[in-house]
Amino acid sequence: MDLSCQPTAALRPYIKSFWYSNRRVSTHLRELALPTGEMSLTIHLGGDPIRIFNGDQTHTFRHSVLWGAQSHYVVRDSSRLGPVLGVQFQPGGASAFLEIEHLTDSHTTHESLAPREQLLDCNTPIAAIQLLERHFLARSLRPLHPAIEHAIAALARGPKLTTIQSLERETGYSPKRFIHLFAQSTGLTPKRFSRIQRFQRVLKQIAAGQAIEWAQVALDSGYCDQSHLNRDFLHFAGITPTQYRPLRPDWHNHVAILS
């Protein structure tokens, strides 16, 4: 069972969605989790702990995982079954609730972000999501920096609509100050965030299942050429564009590792 809900209007600048999943069968043992430019929170409501493999390190979490903004793919254990509740933050949205500057490319437990014991008492997935939403509504919010909020939106819209240099000029900040403020809100530098958004646009085109003309996709997505696309794709996904097979069209950031 999979369920995804938009948050109430007051939370939409900070949270993209609340979701629930309860897998009863595992078709693969590991999968690639691809970078999105966003942070997320996963709350385990039962079953085995989850493991995340990052290089030669293995991280094990029994109750919850706060995913910092990722600058590249990670490998995670997908053999775990049972109910899971999640929060997908907007880019920069998690900074409204906690300090994130040192969470880049990391995974940690942050128990105060979720009332897990109360969630375990909920009778239905909807009740659990509603409880989690009330929990976030009750937290003190730090407003997003207006200049960074504008920059995030501009970089997410498209590769040809803006440049980092033009955003720096618009904000009036020096390049160093602008990069610091951006990383403080998102966990990523403006350049890295922009590259990930460009990568995400390619994923969505492939996941749509349409015939792909790679040279045109590269140009439409803001790459210099197809070779440039291939290099970025390999860095962020660990595989080439032609090897990419998402678990589902609407799960385009998850790729099964079958070997």
Side-chain angles (χ1 to χ4, degrees), residues 27-31 75 239 243 255-259:
T27 58
H28 53 282
L29 298 180
R30 295 189 181 190
E31 65 184 46
V75 177
I239 54 178
Q243 293 172 321
V255 179
I257 300 175
L258 301 177
S259 59

Side-chain angles (χ1 to χ4, degrees), residues 113-180:
L113 275 182
R116 185 174 180 274
E117 295 304 316
Q118 296 176 52
L119 291 167
L120 289 172
D121 292 334
C122 292
N123 294 324
T124 66
I126 287 293
I129 287 175
Q130 290 172 341
L131 173 61
L132 189 57
E133 183 174 63
R134 290 194 300 272
H135 178 75
F136 275 93
L137 281 169
R139 294 179 67 91
S140 297
L141 293 175
R142 288 192 293 269
L144 301 178
H145 192 294
I148 302 307
E149 187 175 14
H150 167 72
I152 290 170
L155 291 173
R157 278 196 297 268
K160 299 179 181 178
L161 299 180
T162 190
T163 64
I164 294 170
Q165 290 75 21
S166 66
L167 288 172
E168 290 170 354
R169 290 193 296 270
E170 288 174 25
T171 64
Y173 291 112
S174 68
K176 184 177 180 179
R177 179 62 175 162
F178 178 73
I179 290 170
H180 173 73

Side-chain angles (χ1 to χ4, degrees), residues 33-51:
L34 308 184
T36 64
E38 303 161 359
M39 290 181 61
S40 63
L41 173 68
T42 305
I43 306 139
H44 309 295
L45 302 179
D48 300 325
I50 191 170
R51 292 181 299 164

Side-chain angles (χ1 to χ4, degrees), residues 11 15 54 67 73 79 86 109 127 131 144 150 180 205 207 242 256:
L11 289 176
I15 294 175
N54 198 347
W67 297 69
Y73 72 93
S79 64
T109 295
L131 173 61
L144 301 178
H150 167 72
H180 173 73
Q205 289 189 62
T242 54

